[in-house]
């Protein structure tokens, strides 16, 4: 984070980082604020407040009801000889609300009030009467708040984690409340982990009636960092990944947990970040501040497309006894640098009552790093947004799509560099050219083809590289899209000085270049340039297209740019995308879970660790061009099935003749996970060597979208988002797990698709490795890429 | 097993045990048998034979192909400077079959030949060429055998278990072969476990080319009994529980494994049991025999509705060199008892060449225990057959359905006993009767009602009990089914001597009995007899019906028979039922996985152990009648909602008024599993105390369908099959697991349904218990039982 104060809050760039919305919550508040009180809180710099749905009166009625029920039970026992309680004794039925039970009513500013359900309930209670009362209270409150127009309702999280059935009871109650809530969002108040001493010491039915807390946690004593997340995972699973339970409020603890747990929560759907007064520390000047770690956490979260809002819990005076605490008001907030003095003065005059904690958060708001090139509103809107993969072979792209891709200078700079290296090397190594001609300087005249030229960005780069290296070239641009062909012809006249021969054909049907000055002669190509790569490398059928054109490549010097590419995988947890896919499946897209989606993965958690022998990202397979073997050449040369193949192929998929089998692939990868968790699918990436110079000491020219390589190989390249292979059912796994991923690239000579499955093996002790679970075999065959 | 020879094979009951079908397999056979050879094998007593699909000629062609490919690869490497192999080098493509490659052709007896795919393939190979060749060979063979008319094709199982991706590769290949196979069944040859020294030492591509067997198994050295089952579990999961992969062949090992593993395999879909010669032992007379354990295993399997067939592997001479082995033919098979001498003689004359192993199996066939009362063809046909649960409240049953239920003497005997005990006790304890009258002997005149009388079986039993105990009764029969009402009136005249008052009404709307000799007077009932119990006790709404009528029960002496009932659960593995449900879901029954099915569970595995504190079967909840509390009485008395309730109930499900909430239930049960496995759902059972006499020393009269209680409490009672609550996704779990089951009986005042979910916790070390997995929350609300 930048702390040098270089950001002038008065400058134009002041709005170039995410705004903070700050709410106020008081755990002792039992009535909705009055109009006046509401205004007072807003005056303190807050944007919204919370409100209890019911009041003390209702609480007391419920307590009286339960007491009456206990008396009734007691009487029943005394009047019956049997020691066994009657299981059919009706439990207490909570009465409906009256106007005395609540001060929450529909009003003009109800939309800026966040409803808060009663904290004294205990949905997890092992006492069936208490859990039943709690469930009824929740249903009543949620239904009433929904009636009043609440947009979201915060519900206290489960009071216990782990086993004993409490969390299942809690989750079941939330599922029911979602039905009572109409279209309102329910927000479960979860801690990041159960921090000893930071638990709310609320008065609950359980504590009031001195009920047992249920079975003792067997892990009592040891802090299990992931148990709160476990509970959340169970709740949203039971609620079927409801998009209305899509937001939770994580209480930021005073001591932040390990990075893995922070990342886990980051992937979860978050609505509010709550910070209690005790999470703040005092700085040198005895003013509230947050640690560097907390600041980083907040900055990280604020980069989300739907950034969370803040709720400050019990942070000093909000309405009660304003005068007493006037000394706590901000008058000379010292962590603001001198540079901000002017602003401070103006703020002071505008908001004399600014709460010190709000003031500090406003300070953090201004101190956030500005939006980077990758954080334009457009790119941010792509966060976790599922795009159907392109079918570039069967569909014709539109001009705007080409234009979008052309807008990435990094990618084309790398291409130009690769072409330049290849041309330069040609001279140094004195390679002959395909047409055998040399130019005036005795340098070979190279035949270059751009196949799939689109609107011509690579044509431009080839011309530049040739100029830079002083290479004479004959340049062909091959394009199947008849509309783009028109554009190419125009570009050739207007921009390229008619240096290019534009051919309208599918590259797989191209008859090859006809060298200038010759008639009825076809020659070979020295440098073939294509940009057919998808997010997973081969997923837009680059291997098949290049197979179809590589017969025209000169032997043995002909070069394909790219020379090779690799596909890479990593298992990830991405609950928001899973919820989105569930909605799509419900909405009629039966193949949603078997579609490889292109998506800018953002709110997700890479669950795998980098350990010796196993990376977080692992290579699935590789393609190299040209395919330097006889058989593929035979196809290309003879434009048909060779004699060798006429009798072959009964064993290929669905009886195909197997001519594309050499482009099938299979991989088996093992990923190591230290902590337990859940995965929703596999993230896919690619890398490509555009050109690796043969001259020793020269570095290969590469592009990469691998998160741990992109900055080194092609920083700020934005042409490709990752690909995502979903799983139909979230796959849970224990600690010390090895996730074994099997993936196939399948083909039946007319189309290409992927199949994937994951197996869980875990170590139970240092020597015992056992099978724990298996997903289905997923297949994108139904939406396969057509050749 | 009975070995006393009391079964006369010549008697009428000789066919009253399952027949054995015995096949012959030779691992060295490489050609299909000729007509003559085929007849010779049948002459030896076999019912069918196996046949390889392809022959040695094909094998040698494939080997040559692979050798040529290796040479090609070698040449490529030599001609290229790069050390890296080219990933796009096409692999070998297996040629299609010619008539020289096979002697398997369509013929008249093709239906009695089991096709056997080539054992020299290795689908699991970590060498991609070998696994690819193997996959192609399998596809070619399976497609060809399907063309010839094979009904089923046996495929050698995976050669390795566990990790490394081999099993995933194998499973994927089988899934593809299922498509090539048309409608033919594929049968995977699995061992029960990998018995050291009993593995087939077949010549495979892997051994031939001295390829590595893939990564070493990390558990090498320790025998992991469940690893073969693990592999099978993965294969059928990848094949999406295909019903054409519904049968597997388990090789019976020489040493049978622990009971848990036997039970696990018993639950799996089995087609053939294969026994190798070395599994047999020699008896005293040096003739082949099987151990007692093996015999028990076979007897157990033969009780399946679709009992497996036998395949004898390499059991001595079948066709080759018949003359040499004539001395091995059966001439004096000594384990047959003297009683069977006649049969033996006749067999000898009919089948002089009977193979000694076949002869022994025929002996076992005759020695099987005869079919019991529970093994009538009708009852056997119910094995694992899913029945939709009854809706007795909203549907009217047909006479035949009543008749079926009436056919269970055990149940009605227990009812009669309970009624008898209740009447006898009345006198002993000198309880007053509801109408206050006494008979000529000074005994109270009891008012008895049978509610839901159907065709009257309980009316008959009440009359018998009254006669037995010398009790004067006034008897009412209440029935809502207008058709059964006609039958009751007829029975009253013809059988019951007009002793019964028949009332046509839903019992919940009955106005109560009008005592004889009074007009315009309603009295109370002393003994109320009902038979409203379902397989899960309360699932046919007995609690709701009894609530509706219990207002008529006299206070405080009135008795409900049954007095109480409990529901019980146990998690089970039942892959065949899961496959059936998958088919139903595909066939349009969207709720198949959320329906509690009534099913005679048979081929299944109770995965839970009985350990201190945790049973294999655990009680979910209990209902007791009458519901002895004010509130329920208020309803019944006032026929409406009491003042107390008018303001209540906003918190009940979907805003219902909560009048039936006292019949809602929840349970949380923990089941302990020692070995790892998979569950497909929960088996449900019930027990009921019909009447528990108050006189000390008297035993309660009970009925039970709990597997570990039925023989003690109500042996041979057949009225109820268990209930089955399915899971949408099979839930795998590791060893030392605790399965936590949460179940709810939910109600919204108009209907009743169940909800269930399972969580997996496992012990990783003595102190660490962790969450491993969670199912969805399942709900039968959409097909709820209407009140």
């Amino acid at each position: 984070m930048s702390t040098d104060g270089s950001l002038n809050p008065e400058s134009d760039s002041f709005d170039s980082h995410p705004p903070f919305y700050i709410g106020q919550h008081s755990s002792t508040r039992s009535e909705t604020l009055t109009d006046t009180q509401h205004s007072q809180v807003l005056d303190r710099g807050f944007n919204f407040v919370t409100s209890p749905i019911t009041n003390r009166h209702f609480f007391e009625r419920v307590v009286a009801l339960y007491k009456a029920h206990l008396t009734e039970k007691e009487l029943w026992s005394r009047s019956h000889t049997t020691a066994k309680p009657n299981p059919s004794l009706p439990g207490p039925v909570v009465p409906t609300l009256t106007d005395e039970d609540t001060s929450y009513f529909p009003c003009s500013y109800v939309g800026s009030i966040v409803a808060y359900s009663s904290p004294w309930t205990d949905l997890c209670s092992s006492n069936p009467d208490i859990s039943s009362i709690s469930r009824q209270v929740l249903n009543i409150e949620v239904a009433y708040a929904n009636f009043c127009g609440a947009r979201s309702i915060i519900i206290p999280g489960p009071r216990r984690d782990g086993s004993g059935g409490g969390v299942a009871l809690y989750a079941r109650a939330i599922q029911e409340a979602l039905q009572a809530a109409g279209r309102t969002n329910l927000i479960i108040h979860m801690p990041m982990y159960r921090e000893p001493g930071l638990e709310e010491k609320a008065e609950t039915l359980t504590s009031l009636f001195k009920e047992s807390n249920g079975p003792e946690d067997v892990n009592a004593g040891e802090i299990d960092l992931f148990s709160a997340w476990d509970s959340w995972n169970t709740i949203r699973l039971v609620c079927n990944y409801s998009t209305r339970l899509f937001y939770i409020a994580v209480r930021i603890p005073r001591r932040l947990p390990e990075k893995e747990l922070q990342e886990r929560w980051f992937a979860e759907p978050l609505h509010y970040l709550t910070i209690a007064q005790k999470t703040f520390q005092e700085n040198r000047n005895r003013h509230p501040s947050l640690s560097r770690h907390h600041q980083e956490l907040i900055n990280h979260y604020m980069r989300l497309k739907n950034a969370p809002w803040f709720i400050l819990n019990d942070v000093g005076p909000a309405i009660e006894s304003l005068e007493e605490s006037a000394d706590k008001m901000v008058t000379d907030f010292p962590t603001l640098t001198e540079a901000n003095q002017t602003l401070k003065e103006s703020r002071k005059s505008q908001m004399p009552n600014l709460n010190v904690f709000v003031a500090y958060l406003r300070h953090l708001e201004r101190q956030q790093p500005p939006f980077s090139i990758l954080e334009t509103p457009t790119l941010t809107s792509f966060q976790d947004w599922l795009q159907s993969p392109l079918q570039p072979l069967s569909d014709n792209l539109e001009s705007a799509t080409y234009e979008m891709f052309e807008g990435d200078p990094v990618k084309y700079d790398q291409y130009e560099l690769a072409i330049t290296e290849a041309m330069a090397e040609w001279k140094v190594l004195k390679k002959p050219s395909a047409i055998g001609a040399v130019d005036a300087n005795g340098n070979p005249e190279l035949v270059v083809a751009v196949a799939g030229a689109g609107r011509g960005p690579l044509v431009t780069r080839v011309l530049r590289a040739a100029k830079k290296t002083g290479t004479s070239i004959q340049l062909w641009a091959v394009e199947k899209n008849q509309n783009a062909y028109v554009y190419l012809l125009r570009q050739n006249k207007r921009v390229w000085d008619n240096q290019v021969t534009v051919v309208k054909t599918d590259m797989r049907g191209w008859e090859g270049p006809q060298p200038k000055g010759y008639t009825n002669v076809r020659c070979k190509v020295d440098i073939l340039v294509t940009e057919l790569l998808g997010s997973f490398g081969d997923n837009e059928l680059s291997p098949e297209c290049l197979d179809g054109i590589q017969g025209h490549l000169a032997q043995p010097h002909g070069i394909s740019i790219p020379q090779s590419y690799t596909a890479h995988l990593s298992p990830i947890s991405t609950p928001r995308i899973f919820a989105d896919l569930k909605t799509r499946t419900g909405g009629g897209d039966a193949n949603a879970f078997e579609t490889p989606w292109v998506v800018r993965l953002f709110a997700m958690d890479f669950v795998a660790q980098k350990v010796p022998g196993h990376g977080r990202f692992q290579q699935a397979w590789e393609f190299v061009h040209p395919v330097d073997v006889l058989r593929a050449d035979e196809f290309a040369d003879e434009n048909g099935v060779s004699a060798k193949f006429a009798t072959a192929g009964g064993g290929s998929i669905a009886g195909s003749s197997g001519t594309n089998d050499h482009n099938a692939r299979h991989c088996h990868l093992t990923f190591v996970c230290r902590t337990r968790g859940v995965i929703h699918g596999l993230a896919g990436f690619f890398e490509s060597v555009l050109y690796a110079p043969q001259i020793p000491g020269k570095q290969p020219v590469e592009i990469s979208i691998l998160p741990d390589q992109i900055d080194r190989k092609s920083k700020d390249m934005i042409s490709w988002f990752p690909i995502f292979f979903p799983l139909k059912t979230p796959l849970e796994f224990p600690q010390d797990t090895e996730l074994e991923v099997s993936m196939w690239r399948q083909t039946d000579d007319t189309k290409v698709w992927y199949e994937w499955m994951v197996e869980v093996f875990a170590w139970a002790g240092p020597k015992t490795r056992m099978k724990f679970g298996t997903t289905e075999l997923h297949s994108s065959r139904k939406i396969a890429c057509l050749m």
Side-chain angles (χ1 to χ4, degrees), chain A:
Chain A
M1 198 189 92
S2 155
T3 50
D4 61 3
S6 62
L7 267 184
N8 180 357
E10 306 299 298
S11 78
D12 290 335
S13 66
F14 185 56
D15 287 316
S16 68
H17 32 52
F20 282 18
Y21 293 93
I22 306 170
Q24 192 263 3
H25 172 69
S26 163
S27 60
T28 54
R29 184 179 298 153
S30 72
E31 302 281 352
T32 305
L33 299 188
T34 61
D35 281 17
T36 319
Q37 289 172 324
H38 189 75
S39 308
Q40 281 176 333
V41 176
L42 296 193
D43 276 353
R44 297 286 175 95
F46 291 99
N47 302 95
F48 62 96
V49 290
T50 67
S51 168
I53 303 166
T54 57
N55 59 18
R56 194 83 194 162
H57 182 268
F58 180 64
F59 171 64
E60 280 159 7
R61 273 178 76 199
V62 172
V63 168
L65 171 85
Y66 184 44
K67 278 186 182 154
H69 175 72
L70 289 179
T71 311
E72 204 174 328
K73 254 185 168 169
E74 176 69 20
L75 285 174
W76 188 92
S77 295
R78 272 192 237 157
S79 68
H80 289 74
T81 48
T82 168
K84 224 164 101 181
N86 186 333
S88 299
L89 189 78
V93 175
V94 177
T96 53
L97 297 183
T98 70
D99 59 339
E100 287 178 296
D101 295 319
T102 180
S103 46
Y104 182 80
F105 293 99
C107 67
S108 58
Y109 53 89
V110 79
S112 77
I113 298 178
V114 175
Y116 223 95
S117 77
S118 286
W120 44 264
T121 59
D122 188 355
L123 295 163
C124 299
S125 178
S126 56
N127 174 327
D129 288 331
I130 290 185
S131 63
S132 165
I133 290 175
S134 300
R135 187 180 50 79
Q136 295 176 62
V137 167
L138 179 66
N139 283 342
I140 288 172
E141 291 186 339
V142 161
Y144 180 68
N146 177 55
F147 165 82
C148 291
R151 295 241 187 94
S152 50
I153 302 166
I154 294 179
I155 300 172
R159 301 202 176 276
R160 281 175 297 287
D161 295 322
S163 55
V167 175
L169 264 177
Y170 182 94
R172 171 63 184 73
I174 298 299
Q175 195 226 38
E176 195 176 310
L178 276 166
Q179 293 168 43
R183 293 184 307 163
T184 308
N185 293 323
L186 297 190
I187 296 150
I188 311 300
H189 209 174
M190 296 295 302
M192 271 196 159
Y193 65 100
R194 300 230 177 262
E195 202 177 9
L198 246 186
E199 282 307 289
E200 280 180 283
K201 292 280 178 296
E203 179 183 43
T204 67
L205 290 178
T206 303
S207 65
L208 201 63
F209 289 91
K210 297 188 178 49
E211 287 292 339
S212 142
N213 246 350
E216 276 297 304
D217 192 338
V218 290
N219 298 334
E222 298 172 39
I223 295 183
D224 182 356
L225 281 179
F226 281 78
S227 71
W229 176 82
D230 268 349
S231 298
W232 161 249
N233 189 38
T234 301
I235 294 163
R236 59 100 176 274
L237 183 66
V238 166
C239 294
N240 206 14
Y241 277 79
S242 165
T243 48
R244 284 191 294 119
L245 193 77
F246 215 44
Y247 300 96
I248 63 164
V250 170
R251 278 207 294 271
I252 297 187
R254 188 177 171 86
R255 178 185 298 222
L256 285 179
E258 51 188 300
K259 206 77 183 168
E260 278 100 338
L261 185 57
Q262 289 187 41
E263 291 297 319
R264 183 69 49 84
W265 279 115
F266 182 72
E268 299 291 344
L270 180 85
H271 200 310
Y272 298 107
L273 274 172
T274 62
I275 313 177
Q277 178 165 349
K278 49 193 153 190
T279 305
F280 288 89
Q281 43 190 226
E282 282 192 339
N283 67 7
R284 276 166 296 148
N285 300 299
R286 312 203 60 183
H287 282 278
S289 68
L290 289 170
S291 78
R292 171 59 46 105
H293 293 302
H294 285 88
Q295 293 180 31
E296 283 167 1
L297 180 84
I298 289 170
N299 287 344
H300 189 30
Y301 270 117
M302 294 315 292
R303 298 292 147 155
L304 282 166
K305 179 166 58 175
N306 296 310
W309 294 14
F310 294 88
I311 294 182
L312 295 177
N313 275 7
D314 299 325
V315 283
I319 25 171
E320 305 84 357
S321 55
L322 278 181
E323 53 293 338
E324 284 178 33
S325 46
D327 56 335
K328 283 200 190 158
M329 297 298 112
V330 66
T331 46
D332 55 347
F333 192 63
T335 57
L336 297 175
T337 58
E338 292 299 308
N340 287 328
Q341 189 62 30
T342 324
L343 172 82
K344 206 173 57 182
E345 295 299 330
S346 69
R347 290 253 160 163
K348 263 172 69 181
S349 57
Q350 283 160 24
M351 305 190 89
N353 293 327
L354 193 64
N355 177 291
V356 286
F357 298 94
V358 174
Y360 178 72
L361 282 188
R362 294 286 171 218
H363 163 69
L364 288 189
E365 181 180 18
R366 291 186 298 272
Q367 296 286 12
Q368 286 177 96
F371 286 129
S372 75
I373 186 171
L374 298 175
E375 292 170 319
T376 63
T378 311
L379 278 172
T380 299
S381 72
F382 275 113
Q383 275 183 19
D384 299 313
W385 185 73
L386 298 169
Q387 298 171 264
S388 300
L390 285 174
Q391 282 268 15
L393 273 186
S394 47
D395 300 340
N396 277 334
L397 302 184
E398 290 169 21
S399 183
T401 312
Y402 286 120
E403 191 165 335
M404 198 179 69
F405 288 127
E406 289 165 17
D408 184 356
V410 181
K411 170 183 159 190
Y412 290 107
D413 287 351
Q414 288 298 93
Y415 262 96
E416 185 178 326
L417 184 58
I419 300 163
T420 306
E421 292 280 9
M423 288 178 172
E425 198 174 70
W426 213 281
K427 279 193 235 176
V428 174
L429 295 182
K430 300 193 195 320
K431 296 193 218 172
S433 90
I435 46 174
V438 290
D439 66 10
N441 302 320
N443 289 326
E445 199 166 58
L446 291 186
V447 180
V448 181
V450 176
R455 306 201 314 173
L458 283 176
V459 174
T460 305
R461 299 300 183 137
V462 168
L463 291 171
R464 272 203 226 166
K467 197 167 175 189
K468 230 192 284 180
T469 55
T471 311
S472 296
I473 60 167
Q474 295 195 13
L475 179 52
W476 274 262
V478 179
E479 176 53 49
K480 75 166 173 47
N481 182 343
Q482 61 198 13
N483 311 306
Y485 172 69
V486 180
Y487 193 93
L488 284 170
L489 291 171
R490 182 162 172 269
Q491 289 290 94
N492 195 28
K493 285 183 191 139
R494 296 173 58 142
V495 183
W496 300 326
D497 205 17
N498 287 312
Q499 296 176 76
V500 185
T501 311
V502 181
V503 183
K504 199 233 142 263
T505 177
D506 186 313
M507 69 178 82
R508 291 169 296 179
W510 188 32
E511 299 187 328
Q514 193 168 32
K516 279 171 193 163
Y518 299 81
T519 48
N520 294 322
V521 171
R522 296 281 169 181
C523 70
K524 297 284 182 181
V525 175
D526 291 310
I527 299 179
L528 173 68
V529 189
T530 55
E531 49 168 333
L532 305 164
L533 296 176
S535 300
F536 202 47
D538 53 270
N539 59 306
E540 293 179 9
L541 306 199
S542 177
E544 284 73 14
C545 293
L546 289 176
D547 270 5
I549 194 172
Q550 75 162 27
H552 300 305
L553 208 57
Q555 291 271 17
H557 299 300
I559 291 169
S560 165
I561 292 178
Q563 273 190 318
S564 68
Y565 34 90
T566 49
H568 301 257
L569 289 171
S570 187
I572 59 170
S573 178
T574 172
R576 297 190 222 210
I577 289 178
F578 185 82
D580 187 353
L581 290 172
K582 273 227 157 211
T583 313
R584 285 165 192 257
T585 316
D589 180 357
N591 299 319
F593 279 109
E594 299 196 290
T595 300
W597 297 94
V598 171
V599 52
R600 185 171 176 216
L601 296 168
F602 197 82
M604 57 128 175
D605 179 22
F606 288 114
V607 297
Q609 305 289 314
K610 188 175 175 180
V611 298
H614 300 280
R616 165 170 277 189
F617 306 99
Q618 292 181 36
Q619 181 179 319
W621 49 65
E622 183 181 18
F623 285 87
V624 174
H625 295 285
V627 178
D628 192 13
V629 288
L630 270 180
R631 197 162 299 158
D633 283 349
E634 282 172 6
F635 292 147
D637 284 352
E638 302 178 11
N639 267 323
V641 175
S642 75
K644 199 166 175 184
F645 271 86
T647 58
S652 292
I653 281 181
S656 71
S657 62
T659 50
N660 198 38
D661 275 8
H662 64 286
N663 286 325
R665 290 288 186 280
H666 164 246
C667 70
H668 183 80
L669 308 173
T670 301
F671 295 90
V672 176
C673 306
R674 201 174 62 80
T675 58
R676 65 188 188 276
V678 62
I679 58 167
H680 301 91
L682 307 168
F685 310 91
F686 83 97
E687 294 199 298
S688 174
V689 175
L690 295 179
Y691 185 65
Q694 288 176 270
I695 298 172
K698 284 263 190 178
Q699 286 305 307
V701 183
E702 294 179 75
I703 51 177
S704 173
I705 65 164
L706 267 176
D708 62 350
Q709 295 294 335
I710 184 168
D711 282 357
R712 197 170 64 78
K713 296 184 174 173
S714 46
K715 189 168 164 53
D716 291 338
M717 182 172 72
I718 55 168
S719 289
W720 291 275
F721 298 146
I723 202 163
F724 177 65
F725 298 93
L727 295 179
K728 287 182 194 176
T729 309
L731 184 66
E732 293 180 56
F733 56 85
Q735 70 182 24
D736 292 325
T737 280
E738 296 184 355
L739 297 174
E740 297 204 354
V741 173
S742 292
M743 188 173 250
W744 288 262
R745 185 183 200 261
Q746 301 279 18
T747 175
D748 65 359
D749 298 356
T750 63
K751 47 192 184 308
V752 171
W753 68 96
Y754 298 93
E755 297 180 10
W756 60 98
M757 64 181 283
V758 185
E759 294 165 278
V760 180
F761 292 84
W763 291 92
K767 281 189 140 185
T768 318
R769 183 173 183 272
M770 287 190 325
K771 183 76 177 283
F772 274 61
T774 318
T775 68
E776 283 181 44
L777 179 68
H778 297 67
S779 168
S780 63
R781 188 169 192 170
K782 284 188 190 145
I783 50 134
C785 217
L786 299 175
M787 283 169 59

